[in-house]
Every structure is written in structure tokens, then in C-alpha cells.
Amino acid sequence: MSTKYTITSPILNESTESALELIQEMKIDVHSRSHIKGHIYFLFDGDEVVYIGRTTYGIDRVYRHRTEAGGYKEFDSVTMLECELRELEEMERKWIGRLKPRYNKYHKWV
């Protein structure tokens, strides 16, 4: 039986034994990096892509752009594309070269 559960799934409605079994099936070996996925993210101001970046920290990295330390950027939405770690830098470079967002210094990427 291979039922997929997500964060919003009602695992808590399962019996304790069933819930524990489901949670155990989702375990990740902390000594392996194979479970870590990267993301290419696109920050939007309206319909304009204003910045493209890469991260292995998920949405947390995006929120840093709202801080002075993160080089404050004006944006109102984000799209995140999952990407294999080995492809992150190349994909980021290609997207920046193609879209040339205003907050990226794309001359160093082309």
C-alpha cells in the first residue's frame, strides 16, 4: 500500500500505529545528501521577473531578499522550480542570461 501523504494530509486521523508507520516510511537518512533538492526561484514585481536565484534552503532564502542584509528587493510573488543540485548553477545562469532581470548583475552570468 503506497499512499502519499503531504503536510496537509490527515495523518493525525490515522490510528497511532498507522500514523507512526506512515511517518517511518518517510524517513530520510541524515547522512545522505541525495534527498536535498535545489530550487531556481523567480521573484516577480507584478508580471515582471525582477530577480532569479538558486537555493537549497527553499522559501527561507526568498524571504532574505526582503531584508537589508539580503539586498532588499521589491517583489510581490515568487515561482520556485525544483532542480537537481548538479544543475543549479547552470540553470540559474541560463535563466538570468535569457530574462536579464533588473536586480541580477547578468553580465557576469553570460
Side-chain angles (χ1 to χ4, degrees), residues 61-95:
R61 175 65 182 109
V62 171
Y63 290 124
R64 279 191 44 85
H65 291 294
R66 290 269 193 209
T67 68
E68 192 173 325
Y72 185 83
K73 294 167 185 67
E74 186 69 37
F75 64 96
D76 57 30
S77 57
V78 62
T79 295
M80 297 186 76
L81 302 178
E82 191 173 278
C83 185
E84 294 295 328
L85 289 178
R86 67 183 181 282
E87 299 172 347
L88 269 179
E89 188 173 338
E90 180 183 358
M91 293 300 291
E92 180 188 34
R93 181 182 53 76
K94 285 181 176 182
W95 278 111

Side-chain angles (χ1 to χ4, degrees), residues 4-5 10-11 19 23 29 39 42 49 66 72 76-77 90 101:
K4 295 285 184 187
Y5 286 86
I11 293 176
I23 291 168
D29 180 358
H39 290 87
F42 302 77
V49 174
R66 290 269 193 209
Y72 185 83
D76 57 30
S77 57
E90 180 183 358

Side-chain angles (χ1 to χ4, degrees), residues 13-30:
N13 293 338
E14 299 283 339
S15 70
T16 301
E17 185 177 309
S18 294
L20 183 56
E21 195 174 295
L22 291 167
I23 291 168
Q24 287 174 340
E25 287 176 15
M26 294 184 261
K27 286 192 303 189
I28 297 169
D29 180 358
V30 296

